[in-house]
Amino acid sequence: MKRALITGITGQDGRHLAEQLVGKGYQVFGMVRGQNNPKGQMVQDENPALELVDGDLQDLSSLIAAVEQVQPDEVYNLGAISFVQLSFKQPELTGDITGLGVLRILEAVRIVGGTVDNPIRFYQASSSEMFGKVRETPQNERTAFHPRSPYGVAKVFGHYMTMNYRESYDLYACSGILFNHEGEKRGLEFVTRKITNGIARIKLGLQDSISLGNLESQRDWGYAGDYVDAMWRMLQQDEPDDYVVATGETHTIREFLDVAFALAGYESWEPYVTHDVRFDRPAEVDLLLGDATKAKEKLGWTPTVSFPELVERMYLADLKSEQSTMRSRRR
Ligand code: NAP
Ligand code: F7E
């Protein structure tokens, strides 16, 4: 039975990945930070086969202890401050967790090491935000980075550290440069889920409108379940490498609104969407479009959920969950 340790287990990707790895017969350990973190219980209820271990990406000794305790075959480093907007407000914290946190977990993996026959394999959650003010379109593994936020800068640090540990210590370390991926488990702070949840609540009479920032930026949005499968595939190869994971399609926030409001039966979204400057960013990433040819050719990976299917899946899940909350409040 293979053993996997996942940091960021309480986040969107951690939950999807844990479910898939348990389905493949792995013994899965999820790292939870903090004292009595309520999300630990939530993921344990969702996935009873999961085992929780304590640890924090800000605390090297806790990471060494977690890796020593679990003795993993594979470590997936998904933990981060992942919300770009927050990274502008708390850049130092973001640098520490999203950037230096990668160095700390790499150190823990290097120090504990695994066995000669079975060294620990490491996955780093790199991001299309590293491309930022893009130098070329579409973006691939060779595209130069130009990050536009403290989050993007921290991810570039983590990305290069992962490469450096691979080259310096012969660590089996891969980075997945993942473009935006969404789904029912996406945090409510991100624009896609904010929109699908907002529409569900408007439909049920629970709110009147959705306040948004810049509607012109373009994102290459895929489904999170497909993207965690790509992470696993990266760690099954003979040699470690870096891969772009993307759909190869890009859409504006306006297009997302068009599809989502139409699904809910509205002719137009303009009456329900207001602009709030608080959601504008000091620097924006205008256009992301990924070229995942390498992942397709070497990993045999392809996205399975189209853009309209993704929006529908998210809207229907939000409608169902808001309806069930309403029913339980009435009881
Ligand atoms: P997410 O939902 O925001 O989850 C982030 C996770 O990091 C949470 O489990 C959080 O735990 C954990 N975390 C935060 N601070 C930590 C710390 N000090 N020590 C240990 N864990 C900590 O993010 P996601 O969407 O699942 O993304 C997973 C990873 O992929 C992240 O590294 C993200 O930056 C990266 N990424 C995401 C996308 C995307 O579109 N989703 C694209 C490219 C890259 P708490 O619950 O305790 O806060
Ligand atoms: O913003 C615009 C916003 O916060 C998308 C993270 O997973 O993907 C994610 O980062 C776009 C931006 O995601 C609102 O200005 C407009 O242009 O959903 P988002 P993100 O910044 O692309 C990358 C790949 C990651 O790695 C990150 O971890 O939508 N936008 N109005 C808004 N965004 C938000 N959140 N809220 C708004 O009201």
Side-chain angles (χ1 to χ4, degrees), residues 13 16-17 20 178 181-182 221-234 245-247 299 301-306 309-310 313:
D13 291 6
H16 275 284
L17 180 64
Q20 288 193 15
L178 270 50
H181 44 280
E182 319 290 317
W221 280 298
Y223 179 59
D226 286 340
Y227 285 48
V228 299
D229 171 50
M231 296 175 187
W232 174 78
R233 286 172 189 251
M234 284 177 216
V245 179
T247 68
L299 306 178
W301 178 86
T302 42
T304 66
V305 179
S306 70
E309 282 166 356
L310 172 67
R313 205 180 262 239

Side-chain angles (χ1 to χ4, degrees), residues 12 80-85 125-130 151 155 178-182 186 188-194 210-219 221 253 276 279-281 284-286 288:
Q12 168 187 250
I81 296 290
S82 80
F83 188 30
V84 172
Q85 183 114 29
S126 287
S127 165
S128 53
E129 280 294 304
M130 300 189 304
Y151 169 81
K155 282 288 177 189
L178 270 50
F179 282 62
N180 298 55
H181 44 280
E182 319 290 317
R186 186 58 144 155
L188 283 163
E189 65 273 39
F190 299 96
V191 76
T192 53
R193 183 82 199 286
K194 185 171 170 183
I210 309 172
S211 299
L212 296 174
N214 170 24
L215 305 186
E216 313 306 334
S217 59
Q218 292 173 256
R219 290 291 182 272
W221 280 298
I253 317 295
D276 187 331
F279 300 113
D280 290 336
R281 296 176 181 181
E284 182 60 279
V285 170
D286 298 320
L288 289 174

Side-chain angles (χ1 to χ4, degrees), residues 102-122:
V102 185
L103 172 60
R104 294 192 191 100
I105 185 88
L106 280 164
E107 269 296 90
V109 168
R110 182 183 70 81
I111 290 164
V112 178
T115 63
V116 178
D117 295 340
N118 191 24
I120 299 172
R121 294 185 169 210
F122 177 81

